[in-house]
Amino acid sequence: AIPEENLDLLSVHEQQYATEYNQLLSDYQFNYDLDLTRDCKPPVDNLNIKVRVLADIGKFVGPESGSAIELRVGDHAFLRRGDVEHLVRQGVLQHVV
């Protein structure tokens, strides 16, 4: 959503677009039980996270860093959140707090 103080900077058409976009996004998230706006802003203090590997993943290229990463069962690694967050959601990595 656009902050209230910035709405005055937009044309009428831009304001209408933003309103309609927000409504579409809200409807989509409700229909599919998603929150696409969560973690919109990159984390300031925890760009890297410690993970434990629960299943062999093998080699892949981190989508955020572009680095080649290889993970095997039992490994512990300190990696960029954006490179491995999808694997944590899939349950093949465990975020170690």
Side-chain angles (χ1 to χ4, degrees), residues 2-97:
I2 298 173
E4 288 293 323
E5 62 272 10
N6 293 345
L7 283 177
D8 293 337
L9 302 173
L10 301 178
S11 72
V12 173
H13 296 291
E14 290 170 323
Q15 290 177 14
Q16 180 181 357
Y17 174 84
T19 300
E20 291 176 13
Y21 174 81
N22 287 336
Q23 185 59 52
L24 284 170
L25 181 61
S26 178
D27 292 346
Y28 182 83
Q29 291 180 119
F30 178 77
N31 289 335
Y32 292 97
D33 193 27
L34 295 172
D35 184 2
L36 299 175
T37 58
R38 184 181 58 97
D39 295 334
C40 262
K41 297 176 186 171
V44 176
D45 60 346
N46 59 352
L47 293 175
N48 294 305
I49 60 171
K50 185 174 181 180
V51 294
R52 184 168 62 114
V53 183
L54 304 175
D56 278 328
I57 296 166
K59 288 185 179 180
F60 67 99
V61 175
E64 186 174 288
S65 68
S67 300
I69 302 168
E70 183 172 4
L71 298 172
R72 296 188 180 145
V73 172
D75 287 350
H76 283 80
F78 194 65
L79 301 165
R80 288 189 68 89
R81 175 184 295 277
D83 285 343
V84 296
E85 192 166 33
H86 65 287
L87 298 171
V88 172
R89 285 192 202 125
Q90 291 174 15
V92 294
L93 294 182
Q94 178 184 28
H95 182 189
V96 178
V97 181

